[in-house]
Amino acid sequence: YCFQCHDMFEESGFCKVHKLQWTCSPSSTGTRNEILAWARRQGLKRIWMQDDNVVSHGRFNGQRKKRTWNPNFFAELEQFAIDHDIDIIGPERDGFVRAGYTVDPIRMMHRQYSCFNMRTDEYFRTKWNEDTDLALRVLLRGGRTCTIRTHTFQKSGRTRSTIHKGHAGGNSEIYDDTREAYAEEITKAYPHLATKRWKWGRWHAAINWKYFLEGVETPDCPWEWKSID
């Protein structure tokens, strides 16, 4: 099913109109869209998506990292998104926040992945980069659309390439393709924002997220360091 022209695919899995592989199977895209459809039937306006490679969550306070088993931060982030009309919000990966340094509580206009809260009226469409594609579509709408990644609240997860095939949902079906094809999926869809680059020993789709930051005002953040336990 192509969400651009609202037509069914041929068996090849390619939309003939847009020449791109907007596929729902085999990939996590179809599962995520089924979850969103279920949430809408329940009357839910927002929902959390969390991948099976996430192993723990934590907080960053006083320049220190601390693992937490308290799920209250899920409610805190979702309420913040509702209060400030934020489309997608989620915790930052802990490896990108260094202990001993002061950082802003939030990072705006960037992609969310592995663990995030989103509106249920959105949808996923690409085979591999469904979270990146979603963030780009949301931000390209303009207006008040916004995505936020929090440094205050963090997630820790295993790299997909280290998870043994068959031990995580659909890994063997989704990630057997080359990393070059993985990167090209987004660069073909957003040539004005994405470039294919060789980084960390593999191909990546590098996104110019700074494009969306011009004129953006950061919402008041309730997570001051001294108030976080």
Side-chain angles (χ1 to χ4, degrees):
Y1 185 82
C2 178
F3 287 99
Q4 288 201 45
C5 60
H6 303 287
D7 199 3
M8 297 301 293
F9 289 146
E10 298 296 322
E11 289 185 2
S12 63
F14 281 82
C15 172
K16 289 185 175 180
V17 175
H18 297 97
K19 312 298 182 184
L20 292 171
Q21 194 177 27
W22 300 138
T23 179
C24 285
S25 180
S27 75
S28 58
T29 297
T31 302
R32 286 181 168 183
N33 284 333
E34 285 294 328
I35 293 171
L36 287 171
W38 172 86
R40 289 191 293 271
R41 291 195 297 270
Q42 309 307 309
L44 301 175
K45 300 299 183 183
R46 304 190 67 94
I47 193 171
W48 279 92
M49 292 277 179
Q50 178 161 288
D51 292 350
D52 51 10
N53 66 317
V54 175
V55 296
S56 65
H57 294 278
R59 293 192 176 210
F60 186 76
N61 180 34
Q63 300 182 350
R64 293 180 300 171
K65 297 180 181 181
K66 182 180 180 181
R67 181 173 293 189
T68 179
W69 286 266
N70 189 329
N72 287 346
F73 79 91
F74 285 104
E76 180 121 3
L77 288 181
E78 183 165 352
Q79 190 59 52
F80 184 76
I82 293 170
D83 293 343
H84 295 276
D85 197 22
I86 296 165
D87 292 77
I88 313 171
I89 191 169
E92 176 66 279
R93 190 182 180 96
D94 60 353
F96 293 123
V97 183
R98 297 177 62 185
Y101 290 82
T102 299
V103 297
D104 293 332
I106 60 178
R107 183 180 187 182
M108 296 186 63
M109 304 310 200
H110 214 282
R111 80 180 181 106
Q112 277 63 38
Y113 61 96
S114 296
C115 177
F116 52 89
N117 181 267
M118 62 179 290
R119 301 180 193 274
T120 58
D121 57 359
E122 301 289 354
Y123 58 87
F124 297 93
R125 61 180 189 178
T126 52
K127 181 178 181 180
W128 298 295
N129 296 278
E130 68 271 17
D131 44 16
T132 302
D133 175 73
L134 172 64
L136 288 170
R137 283 188 285 116
V138 164
L139 294 175
L140 285 169
R141 291 179 196 152
R144 295 191 62 187
T145 56
C146 176
T147 66
I148 283 181
R149 223 150 77 188
T150 68
H151 293 144
T152 305
F153 302 100
Q154 303 175 356
K155 61 178 178 285
S156 178
R158 296 176 61 187
T159 304
R160 279 291 179 186
S161 59
T162 67
I163 300 178
H164 190 275
K165 293 177 182 179
H167 290 185
N171 259 19
S172 58
E173 290 82 4
I174 301 171
Y175 298 102
D176 275 352
D177 298 270
T178 66
R179 286 289 310 191
E180 188 169 9
Y182 185 102
E184 286 177 349
E185 183 180 48
I186 286 295
T187 56
K188 287 181 179 179
Y190 304 96
H192 61 303
L193 291 171
T195 55
K196 187 176 71 173
R197 293 182 183 175
W198 183 261
K199 190 176 182 182
W200 299 318
R202 58 183 181 174
W203 289 106
H204 287 266
I207 311 297
N208 178 23
W209 296 105
K210 293 181 181 179
Y211 174 87
F212 301 105
L213 287 173
E214 185 175 354
V216 172
E217 294 184 5
T218 302
D220 293 333
C221 183
W223 309 307
E224 297 294 339
W225 307 122
K226 61 184 180 180
S227 66
I228 300 174
D229 298 326

